Amino acid sequence: MPATCVIGLQWGDEAKGKLVDLLTADFDVIVRYQGGANAGHTVVVDGQTYKLHLIPSGILNPAVKNVIAAGVVLNPETLLAEIEGLEKRGVAVQSNLLLSSRAHVVFPWHVEEDRLQSSRSVQGEQIGTTLRGIGPCYRDKVGRLYAVRLGDLGRADFRDIVARITAAKNDYFAAIRGSETSVPLDPDAIHAQYQQYAHRLQPLMVDSTAFLLDNAEAGKRILLEGAQGALLDIDHGTFPFVTSSNSSGVGVSSGSGLPGRWVERVLGVMKCYSTRVGGGPFPTEQDNETGAHIRKLGNEFGTTTGRPRRCGWFDAVAVRYSARLSGVDSLAVMMIDVLSELPEIKVCTAYEIDGERVTQFPAHADDLRRAKPVYESIAGWQKDVRNVRRLADLPSPARAYLDRLSELLQRPVGIVSVGPGREQTIIAHSDWDCLVERGLARRAN
Ligand code: IMP
């Protein structure tokens, strides 16, 4: 049975966690394959809110295996805190979580490097990272000399590895800290701490690549859960204002180890407006009352950092690009309830760049920064839709809005979300009927 992917189509925070949790009833294995604890997936089950950073959202379903695959950068401290938090709430984690021994490990020096770089600008703006050490860890992975994988924590020479890396990092910090006093990293303390982590995580470690290939070949149903959003993709996003992994659909294979031929279906998740955290161009941003209204009603504050998110109108140029890039065949439109009070809703259908009308998403942030959105106006519905459960019961302007989004993105809308709860979900396309209904039934039992 081939795999299904869930990919965010904007700059992250598209409410993918809710969807993955809902869909898990129909899968045997759920996989996180890129990013790290920079992600924040919120899942609301039976009125209880769970905030997950590293652990796949499927952990709330005791019947599925959850895999953190090779492409993830893993901070053991964060992961253990997340495991403990879930276990305290009665979630069975140990028996349902597998960690790739190939995943790269985030160390305190990565977090410190992230912090030190955070005040620096690129192209006149700060990237505004989540300060979780994600970029520095991926940089060391690519550089290889200072990289440590989860499986390395148990090596006989792990103490020597830590000593070698801390010596190099201490030199680096001394050179770049300037007037800031620098407390050198203590290799013994770090080694002791990471040995403890290794002891606790060892029982969960597997060769996830082999595990996933075996499961795919055995016909198991696999759901791959993307983190962040396609526009933050390191190679195809709004570089340099991106994350450090392939967060669009193109990252699925490299991060999980499953060849693309196993991926049968890609669900693209998007909010019916846009948000962005951190720096970088955002043509449809509404730094005004409309943006503040969306932020308030959508509770648009970062799950990981608590930062207020920048809010704006839906950008069909950007999302058409990210949907194509990610091979999306069906759309999940989230947070439609957030726009309910607005008398008028705008959608960006093209950009004007240096006087020219453009419908192709620019490759360079400088061009995107100069893009002026060309808007189409759509009447608001001004009705509470949070209790609507069937597409036909949505107010007609809301249906017209969904139809227009589908037309602009050239893809059918499969799922519409009218609130954070699992039951606040409309199945708009028969392809998703059984999946979502089984998910809802599971929760009701
Ligand atoms: P980093 O991934 O922490 O290096 O941050 C790089 C950029 O990606 C920053 O603009 C972050 O705000 C953004 N980012 C990283 N993870 C997420 C996420 O899960 N949601 C939204 N934005 C994110």
Side-chain angles (χ1 to χ4, degrees):
M1 174 77 71
T4 295
C5 302
V6 173
I7 304 285
L9 296 183
Q10 293 156 314
W11 285 284
D13 309 315
E14 296 92 351
K16 298 176 289 291
K18 161 175 167 165
L19 273 185
V20 172
D21 172 60
L22 200 55
L23 297 175
T24 54
D26 221 51
F27 290 90
D28 303 301
V29 183
I30 315 290
V31 189
R32 258 293 301 273
Y33 56 87
Q34 46 74 223
N38 49 350
H41 290 172
T42 306
V43 186
V44 181
V45 177
D46 296 336
Q48 287 213 54
T49 302
Y50 297 86
K51 293 192 176 196
L52 303 168
H53 298 286
L54 272 164
I55 299 181
S57 311
I59 200 71
L60 301 172
N61 180 351
V64 302
K65 288 275 177 252
N66 292 270
V67 178
I68 296 182
V72 170
V73 291
L74 190 152
N75 184 328
E77 188 183 355
T78 315
L79 178 65
L80 284 163
E82 207 167 310
I83 292 175
E84 277 163 23
L86 285 166
E87 282 179 338
K88 269 194 200 132
R89 297 172 75 178
V91 179
V93 181
Q94 300 283 341
S95 49
N96 286 331
L97 181 65
L98 300 169
L99 311 175
S100 174
S101 56
R102 288 186 171 89
H104 281 253
V105 180
V106 176
F107 280 85
W109 51 79
H110 294 130
V111 179
E112 179 61 0
E113 282 176 51
D114 215 354
R115 186 188 72 77
L116 283 168
Q117 286 164 9
S118 63
S119 57
R120 312 264 164 109
S121 294
V122 54
Q123 297 184 3
E125 224 182 317
Q126 290 174 359
I127 295 174
T129 75
T130 58
L131 302 176
R132 296 296 185 270
I134 306 299
C137 185
Y138 275 117
R139 188 176 55 201
D140 279 343
K141 165 179 166 172
V142 175
R144 288 150 295 156
L145 281 182
Y146 305 127
V148 177
R149 303 198 295 177
L150 205 53
D152 296 332
L153 300 184
R155 286 174 61 118
D157 60 351
F158 179 52
R159 169 74 186 73
D160 299 338
I161 295 173
V162 173
R164 179 175 59 78
I165 299 177
T166 45
K169 295 289 178 182
N170 279 333
D171 287 349
Y172 170 74
F173 287 135
I176 70 158
R177 264 188 185 131
S179 57
E180 208 182 308
T181 47
S182 97
V183 182
L185 297 162
D186 176 353
D188 290 326
I190 295 173
H191 172 248
Q193 190 170 40
Y194 275 70
Q195 261 200 324
Q196 270 186 27
Y197 296 150
H199 179 70
R200 293 169 69 191
L201 296 178
Q202 188 69 47
L204 307 181
M205 281 186 220
V206 293
D207 176 346
S208 70
T209 308
F211 176 87
L212 291 175
L213 289 169
D214 286 348
N215 274 272
E217 286 162 8
K220 299 286 183 197
R221 300 154 305 171
I222 299 175
L223 181 66
L224 297 134
E225 175 183 12
Q228 291 86 45
L231 299 174
L232 289 171
D233 188 286
I234 181 75
D235 290 307
H236 307 283
T238 52
F239 190 88
F241 304 100
V242 290
T243 191
S244 308
S245 63
N246 285 116
S247 52
S248 71
V250 304
V252 170
S253 286
S254 59
S256 68
L258 280 181
R261 66 183 287 257
W262 289 111
V263 177
E264 183 199 37
R265 185 166 45 181
V266 183
L267 179 66
V269 188
M270 60 194 214
K271 288 195 271 217
C272 56
Y273 50 89
S274 307
T275 63
R276 182 163 202 171
V277 208
F282 179 4
T284 62
E285 180 169 16
Q286 297 298 300
D287 190 10
N288 54 27
E289 269 181 27
T290 305
H293 175 86
I294 293 175
R295 185 175 310 113
K296 184 162 168 245
L297 267 73
N299 191 24
E300 294 293 356
F301 296 88
T303 312
T304 302
T305 59
R307 289 181 289 179
R309 295 178 185 143
R310 300 156 67 192
C311 298
W313 297 121
F314 188 84
D315 185 341
V317 180
V319 179
R320 189 169 46 232
Y321 165 70
S322 59
R324 292 173 66 206
L325 173 68
S326 300
V328 165
D329 39 46
S330 199
L331 301 165
V333 184
M334 312 303 281
M335 320 279 280
I336 191 140
D337 52 307
V338 172
L339 300 186
S340 285
E341 289 176 18
L342 295 170
E344 182 198 25
I345 291 164
K346 291 186 183 177
V347 184
C348 167
T349 55
Y351 300 143
E352 212 185 273
I353 304 179
D354 304 333
E356 225 178 281
R357 202 181 168 96
V358 171
T359 52
Q360 183 152 317
F361 193 64
H364 291 272
D366 285 339
D367 296 330
L368 192 59
R369 205 173 275 116
R370 294 199 313 284
K372 294 195 185 79
V374 177
Y375 286 119
E376 202 174 279
S377 267
I378 288 166
W381 43 94
Q382 300 196 280
K383 283 200 182 91
D384 187 351
V385 294
R386 286 174 297 181
N387 294 319
V388 175
R389 298 291 176 267
R390 293 181 334 144
L391 198 61
D393 296 336
L394 277 176
S396 60
R399 271 182 286 138
Y401 183 48
L402 291 171
D403 286 347
R404 187 62 183 133
L405 294 183
S406 168
E407 189 175 49
L408 287 165
L409 305 178
Q410 296 161 2
R411 276 144 180 94
V413 173
I415 295 171
V416 181
S417 176
V418 294
R422 313 176 110 242
E423 68 294 348
Q424 291 177 295
T425 308
I426 298 172
I427 301 146
H429 195 277
S430 55
D431 274 6
W432 297 93
D433 264 2
C434 49
L435 282 179
V436 178
E437 268 165 17
R438 265 198 287 275
L440 290 171
R442 172 170 69 78
R443 192 53 64 190
N445 289 333

